[in-house]
Amino acid sequence: MGWSRLTATVGGVILVILFIVGIAMYRAGGGGEQALIPWGMMVVGYIFFALASGGVFDSMAIRLLRGDKDIEAHAGLLAWSSLALLAPGIVLVFSDVLHPGAAPYFYLSFNPESRIAWNAVLYLLYGGGLLAFTILVHLKGPTVPLARSIAAATLAFSLLLEANLGMAYAVNVAVPAWYASMAPILFIALGFAMGSGFTILTLRLASEGSVIAREYAEELRYTLLAAAFIAGWSLVGMAAWGDARTTVVEVVMGGVAPIFWLGFVLVGVLAPLAIASRRPPVAGLLAILGLAVYLAIPFNYTPQAARLKVNPFYMLLAQSGPVEAGLWEYVASPETLAFIGGLGVWLLLVLYRGKVLGILGLQG
């Protein structure tokens, strides 16, 4: 199955236009100050891209550090793909900040007790390490000792960022289904699974590494099983205490159940497991889609909507506020356009990696 470069380019351009339009509409609408569902699709978007970027880099770095010769020829491409995934995530982060010009105060007035403040630090450390590794690999190759040292440090920063993004949910006492959840380890598992899928697609777009792509197809299976197990066990834990049980009922048997069972379990887990060995790119694409759906709706939306049913104070807020908390209002928003459109940035950067590197004076 050949990928048409022209078709992919046109698709990438359309997605980038959606990315720009979505961000512009979001900012024009007041930056998404919602009382009922404050963590919207913009948050899901930059978490998705951070986890996907980290997942691509983490697996590549682990293979490189253990001396896997097969990965050395593809280290530059995968580091570039990881950087290309992080780029739209960083843009979404700043687009979601109400006053982007005040962002330096995350560092100038650092609050060590804030998970959000630590996210700002870890984004900087991971992004800086990733950029340094990518440049060095394209200049000197992945086998020089400095490249391996940077890869090890950046791997640590990546895993810390993924876990801390989960901790931003897990310390949120205002949302019962998130509080004290398994979100940190879940996000690491989601990162590895999405990273496997994006690695397969990257290799296919660049027409490289059919052998290693099959290895990543096997990795996709294992990481999907791990992510599905942790997601399922998180639901078991939620069902065992208080107000979080309402979220579980909604996800497993309520209005979100079709999205969970069809969008996540069937499309995102079972279908990729069944076809990974025969059609790795399709399996990777389905896995990415299913995991994105899970992150956006069962994980992010449903706990926020469910608390409105169980907490009388939030019910008062719902009755007095003009903002709708329905699933359609959550999904059909400029934030979703920006989230989906961000994939175009990754796609175009991977497709035209050689040209961009040539402009930068680096080897393709």
Side-chain angles (χ1 to χ4, degrees), residues 2-274:
W3 284 44
S4 168
R5 188 179 182 87
L6 178 59
T7 302
T9 299
V10 171
V13 170
I14 292 172
L15 287 171
V16 169
I17 292 173
L18 292 180
F19 183 61
I20 296 170
V21 169
I23 291 174
M25 291 176 62
Y26 176 70
R27 296 301 302 180
E33 293 181 275
Q34 301 180 51
L36 303 183
I37 307 292
W39 290 27
M41 289 290 281
M42 191 71 80
V43 175
V44 175
Y46 62 71
I47 289 174
F48 170 88
F49 285 112
L51 296 183
S53 170
V56 172
F57 182 84
D58 295 346
S59 181
M60 180 272 293
I62 290 171
R63 290 167 182 258
L64 185 66
L65 291 171
R66 75 182 187 192
D68 188 336
K69 298 298 182 182
D70 292 334
I71 201 67
E72 292 177 2
H74 310 290
L77 171 64
L78 296 181
W80 179 263
S81 180
S82 185
L83 195 61
L85 282 166
L86 186 63
I90 295 294
V91 174
L92 292 180
V93 168
F94 281 98
S95 300
D96 194 42
V97 176
L98 186 60
H99 301 290
Y105 288 102
F106 276 121
Y107 310 100
L108 298 176
S109 302
F110 181 70
N111 177 9
E113 297 182 2
S114 168
R115 296 299 98 196
I116 304 298
W118 276 109
N119 280 339
V121 171
L122 292 169
Y123 264 110
L124 185 64
L125 291 174
Y126 168 59
L130 176 58
L131 180 61
F133 177 83
T134 304
I135 293 173
L136 184 60
V137 166
H138 284 92
L139 287 174
K140 301 292 185 180
T143 59
V144 296
L146 181 58
R148 294 180 179 272
S149 298
I150 294 176
T154 306
L155 173 62
F157 295 142
S158 174
L159 293 172
L160 286 170
L161 174 60
E162 292 159 25
N164 196 70
L165 285 167
M167 280 300 297
Y169 285 88
V171 299
N172 196 326
V173 69
V175 183
W178 289 346
Y179 184 59
S181 69
M182 298 174 67
I185 189 65
L186 173 64
F187 276 23
I188 291 176
L190 291 175
F192 272 104
M194 289 191 291
S196 298
F198 272 108
T199 296
I200 293 169
L201 295 180
T202 298
L203 294 170
R204 187 57 183 253
L205 284 168
S207 300
E208 291 187 15
S210 58
V211 174
I212 200 169
R214 288 195 291 270
E215 295 179 8
Y216 270 100
E218 287 301 307
E219 180 178 295
L220 177 65
R221 283 176 161 171
Y222 298 132
T223 54
L224 273 179
L225 287 173
F229 174 80
I230 297 170
W233 196 249
S234 296
L235 290 173
V236 172
M238 292 177 203
W241 77 281
D243 292 342
R245 188 178 298 112
T246 302
T247 296
V248 179
V249 173
E250 186 68 15
V251 169
V252 177
M253 298 181 293
V256 178
I259 297 172
F260 175 76
W261 293 109
L262 298 178
F264 171 55
V265 176
L266 179 60
V267 172
V269 178
L270 296 180
L273 288 176

